[in-house]
PDB file of all heavy atoms in Angstrom:
ATOM      1  N   PRO A  23      33.089  19.607 267.226  1.00 52.00           N
ATOM      2  CA  PRO A  23      32.667  18.848 268.518  1.00 52.00           C
ATOM      3  C   PRO A  23      31.653  19.592 269.219  1.00 52.00           C
ATOM      4  O   PRO A  23      31.630  20.916 269.227  1.00 52.00           O
ATOM      5  CB  PRO A  23      33.971  18.682 269.245  1.00 52.00           C
ATOM      6  CG  PRO A  23      34.845  19.788 268.743  1.00 52.00           C
ATOM      7  CD  PRO A  23      34.464  20.056 267.253  1.00 52.00           C
ATOM      8  N   THR A  24      30.782  18.940 269.865  1.00 55.00           N
ATOM      9  CA  THR A  24      29.689  19.517 270.623  1.00 55.00           C
ATOM     10  C   THR A  24      30.252  20.035 272.053  1.00 55.00           C
ATOM     11  O   THR A  24      31.456  19.774 272.299  1.00 55.00           O
ATOM     12  CB  THR A  24      28.671  18.485 270.942  1.00 55.00           C
ATOM     13  OG1 THR A  24      29.140  17.339 271.636  1.00 55.00           O
ATOM     14  CG2 THR A  24      27.999  18.015 269.510  1.00 55.00           C
ATOM     15  N   SER A  25      29.385  20.562 272.888  1.00 53.00           N
ATOM     16  CA  SER A  25      29.872  21.112 274.198  1.00 53.00           C
ATOM     17  C   SER A  25      30.279  19.889 275.107  1.00 53.00           C
ATOM     18  O   SER A  25      31.196  20.014 275.905  1.00 53.00           O
ATOM     19  CB  SER A  25      28.688  21.902 274.787  1.00 53.00           C
ATOM     20  OG  SER A  25      27.485  21.151 274.936  1.00 53.00           O
ATOM     21  N   ALA A  26      29.555  18.844 274.891  1.00 52.00           N
ATOM     22  CA  ALA A  26      29.950  17.599 275.770  1.00 52.00           C
ATOM     23  C   ALA A  26      31.307  17.077 275.374  1.00 52.00           C
ATOM     24  O   ALA A  26      32.159  16.645 276.085  1.00 52.00           O
ATOM     25  CB  ALA A  26      28.875  16.492 275.519  1.00 52.00           C
ATOM     26  N   GLY A  27      31.558  17.175 273.986  1.00 55.00           N
ATOM     27  CA  GLY A  27      32.953  16.842 273.516  1.00 55.00           C
ATOM     28  C   GLY A  27      34.054  17.674 274.049  1.00 55.00           C
ATOM     29  O   GLY A  27      35.096  17.271 274.438  1.00 55.00           O
ATOM     30  N   PHE A  28      33.765  19.103 274.040  1.00 50.00           N
ATOM     31  CA  PHE A  28      34.754  19.996 274.646  1.00 50.00           C
ATOM     32  C   PHE A  28      35.026  19.757 276.171  1.00 50.00           C
ATOM     33  O   PHE A  28      36.093  19.897 276.627  1.00 50.00           O
ATOM     34  CB  PHE A  28      34.273  21.457 274.398  1.00 50.00           C
ATOM     35  CG  PHE A  28      34.570  21.955 272.980  1.00 50.00           C
ATOM     36  CD1 PHE A  28      33.546  22.210 272.126  1.00 50.00           C
ATOM     37  CD2 PHE A  28      35.856  22.139 272.570  1.00 50.00           C
ATOM     38  CE1 PHE A  28      33.883  22.710 270.858  1.00 50.00           C
ATOM     39  CE2 PHE A  28      36.154  22.562 271.284  1.00 50.00           C
ATOM     40  CZ  PHE A  28      35.083  22.907 270.387  1.00 50.00           C
ATOM     41  N   SER A  29      33.887  19.389 276.824  1.00 55.00           N
ATOM     42  CA  SER A  29      33.994  19.130 278.190  1.00 55.00           C
ATOM     43  C   SER A  29      34.884  17.883 278.517  1.00 55.00           C
ATOM     44  O   SER A  29      35.783  17.814 279.379  1.00 55.00           O
ATOM     45  CB  SER A  29      32.638  18.908 278.803  1.00 55.00           C
ATOM     46  OG  SER A  29      31.839  20.123 278.743  1.00 55.00           O
ATOM     47  N   ALA A  30      34.671  16.848 277.615  1.00 55.00           N
ATOM     48  CA  ALA A  30      35.395  15.652 277.778  1.00 55.00           C
ATOM     49  C   ALA A  30      36.978  15.869 277.565  1.00 55.00           C
ATOM     50  O   ALA A  30      37.914  15.385 278.210  1.00 55.00           O
ATOM     51  CB  ALA A  30      34.915  14.473 276.896  1.00 55.00           C
ATOM     52  N   ILE A  31      37.206  16.675 276.460  1.00 58.00           N
ATOM     53  CA  ILE A  31      38.710  17.036 276.138  1.00 58.00           C
ATOM     54  C   ILE A  31      39.296  17.857 277.278  1.00 58.00           C
ATOM     55  O   ILE A  31      40.433  17.638 277.623  1.00 58.00           O
ATOM     56  CB  ILE A  31      38.666  17.723 274.800  1.00 58.00           C
ATOM     57  CG1 ILE A  31      38.193  16.927 273.583  1.00 58.00           C
ATOM     58  CG2 ILE A  31      40.129  18.309 274.474  1.00 58.00           C
ATOM     59  CD1 ILE A  31      38.046  17.545 272.339  1.00 58.00           C
ATOM     60  N   LEU A  32      38.551  18.802 277.816  1.00 53.00           N
ATOM     61  CA  LEU A  32      39.010  19.619 278.887  1.00 53.00           C
ATOM     62  C   LEU A  32      39.434  18.800 280.116  1.00 53.00           C
ATOM     63  O   LEU A  32      40.474  18.961 280.821  1.00 53.00           O
ATOM     64  CB  LEU A  32      38.021  20.669 279.157  1.00 53.00           C
ATOM     65  CG  LEU A  32      38.429  21.675 280.222  1.00 53.00           C
ATOM     66  CD1 LEU A  32      39.678  22.521 279.821  1.00 53.00           C
ATOM     67  CD2 LEU A  32      37.313  22.717 280.440  1.00 53.00           C
ATOM     68  N   LEU A  33      38.552  17.867 280.365  1.00 52.00           N
ATOM     69  CA  LEU A  33      38.727  16.952 281.595  1.00 52.00           C
ATOM     70  C   LEU A  33      40.009  16.068 281.319  1.00 52.00           C
ATOM     71  O   LEU A  33      40.775  15.873 282.200  1.00 52.00           O
ATOM     72  CB  LEU A  33      37.478  16.119 281.870  1.00 52.00           C
ATOM     73  CG  LEU A  33      36.350  16.820 282.482  1.00 52.00           C
ATOM     74  CD1 LEU A  33      35.098  15.873 282.527  1.00 52.00           C
ATOM     75  CD2 LEU A  33      36.637  17.368 283.871  1.00 52.00           C
ATOM     76  N   ALA A  34      40.114  15.615 280.103  1.00 56.00           N
ATOM     77  CA  ALA A  34      41.229  14.655 279.797  1.00 56.00           C
ATOM     78  C   ALA A  34      42.623  15.471 279.879  1.00 56.00           C
ATOM     79  O   ALA A  34      43.604  14.912 280.192  1.00 56.00           O
ATOM     80  CB  ALA A  34      41.016  14.083 278.448  1.00 56.00           C
ATOM     81  N   VAL A  35      42.583  16.766 279.639  1.00 53.00           N
ATOM     82  CA  VAL A  35      43.800  17.521 279.725  1.00 53.00           C
ATOM     83  C   VAL A  35      44.073  18.096 281.086  1.00 53.00           C
ATOM     84  O   VAL A  35      45.283  18.051 281.505  1.00 53.00           O
ATOM     85  CB  VAL A  35      43.687  18.622 278.661  1.00 53.00           C
ATOM     86  CG1 VAL A  35      45.004  19.597 278.764  1.00 53.00           C
ATOM     87  CG2 VAL A  35      43.598  18.129 277.251  1.00 53.00           C
ATOM     88  N   LEU A  36      43.021  18.602 281.780  1.00 51.00           N
ATOM     89  CA  LEU A  36      43.253  19.251 283.048  1.00 51.00           C
ATOM     90  C   LEU A  36      43.418  18.263 284.214  1.00 51.00           C
ATOM     91  O   LEU A  36      44.202  18.628 285.166  1.00 51.00           O
ATOM     92  CB  LEU A  36      42.126  20.282 283.258  1.00 51.00           C
ATOM     93  CG  LEU A  36      42.085  21.360 282.372  1.00 51.00           C
ATOM     94  CD1 LEU A  36      40.931  22.378 282.729  1.00 51.00           C
ATOM     95  CD2 LEU A  36      43.399  22.218 282.263  1.00 51.00           C
ATOM     96  N   LEU A  37      42.621  17.182 284.161  1.00 50.00           N
ATOM     97  CA  LEU A  37      42.660  16.396 285.362  1.00 50.00           C
ATOM     98  C   LEU A  37      44.024  15.704 285.661  1.00 50.00           C
ATOM     99  O   LEU A  37      44.505  15.666 286.909  1.00 50.00           O
ATOM    100  CB  LEU A  37      41.681  15.271 285.181  1.00 50.00           C
ATOM    101  CG  LEU A  37      40.159  15.690 285.318  1.00 50.00           C
ATOM    102  CD1 LEU A  37      39.204  14.550 285.171  1.00 50.00           C
ATOM    103  CD2 LEU A  37      39.935  16.439 286.703  1.00 50.00           C
ATOM    104  N   PRO A  38      44.754  15.254 284.693  1.00 51.00           N
ATOM    105  CA  PRO A  38      46.134  14.738 284.915  1.00 51.00           C
ATOM    106  C   PRO A  38      47.097  15.790 285.477  1.00 51.00           C
ATOM    107  O   PRO A  38      47.954  15.472 286.331  1.00 51.00           O
ATOM    108  CB  PRO A  38      46.580  14.156 283.599  1.00 51.00           C
ATOM    109  CG  PRO A  38      45.409  13.847 282.814  1.00 51.00           C
ATOM    110  CD  PRO A  38      44.451  14.874 283.284  1.00 51.00           C
ATOM    111  N   LEU A  39      46.841  17.060 285.119  1.00 46.00           N
ATOM    112  CA  LEU A  39      47.689  18.042 285.566  1.00 46.00           C
ATOM    113  C   LEU A  39      47.471  18.364 287.093  1.00 46.00           C
ATOM    114  O   LEU A  39      48.330  18.795 287.829  1.00 46.00           O
ATOM    115  CB  LEU A  39      47.509  19.414 284.866  1.00 46.00           C
ATOM    116  CG  LEU A  39      47.851  19.342 283.360  1.00 46.00           C
ATOM    117  CD1 LEU A  39      47.625  20.697 282.675  1.00 46.00           C
ATOM    118  CD2 LEU A  39      49.324  18.977 283.211  1.00 46.00           C
ATOM    119  N   ARG A  40      46.250  18.038 287.523  1.00 50.00           N
ATOM    120  CA  ARG A  40      45.887  18.255 289.037  1.00 50.00           C
ATOM    121  C   ARG A  40      46.112  16.965 289.779  1.00 50.00           C
ATOM    122  O   ARG A  40      45.768  16.868 290.933  1.00 50.00           O
ATOM    123  CB  ARG A  40      44.500  18.721 289.040  1.00 50.00           C
ATOM    124  CG  ARG A  40      44.257  20.053 288.441  1.00 50.00           C
ATOM    125  CD  ARG A  40      42.812  20.453 288.612  1.00 50.00           C
ATOM    126  NE  ARG A  40      42.583  21.778 288.018  1.00 50.00           N
ATOM    127  CZ  ARG A  40      42.746  23.008 288.706  1.00 50.00           C
ATOM    128  NH1 ARG A  40      43.189  22.937 289.929  1.00 50.00           N
ATOM    129  NH2 ARG A  40      42.602  24.112 288.126  1.00 50.00           N
ATOM    130  N   GLY A  41      46.660  15.939 289.154  1.00 48.00           N
ATOM    131  CA  GLY A  41      46.876  14.710 289.858  1.00 48.00           C
ATOM    132  C   GLY A  41      45.606  13.864 290.105  1.00 48.00           C
ATOM    133  O   GLY A  41      45.530  13.026 291.017  1.00 48.00           O
ATOM    134  N   ILE A  42      44.642  14.036 289.085  1.00 50.00           N
ATOM    135  CA  ILE A  42      43.434  13.193 289.237  1.00 50.00           C
ATOM    136  C   ILE A  42      43.344  12.311 288.055  1.00 50.00           C
ATOM    137  O   ILE A  42      43.491  12.742 286.944  1.00 50.00           O
ATOM    138  CB  ILE A  42      42.203  14.134 289.368  1.00 50.00           C
ATOM    139  CG1 ILE A  42      42.319  15.201 290.535  1.00 50.00           C
ATOM    140  CG2 ILE A  42      40.894  13.327 289.517  1.00 50.00           C
ATOM    141  CD1 ILE A  42      41.263  16.222 290.552  1.00 50.00           C
TER     142      ILE A  42
END
Side-chain angles (χ1 to χ4, degrees):
T24 60
S25 59
F28 280 114
S29 300
I31 294 173
L32 185 62
L33 287 175
V35 174
L36 295 179
L37 288 181
L39 296 177
R40 297 179 179 273
I42 305 173

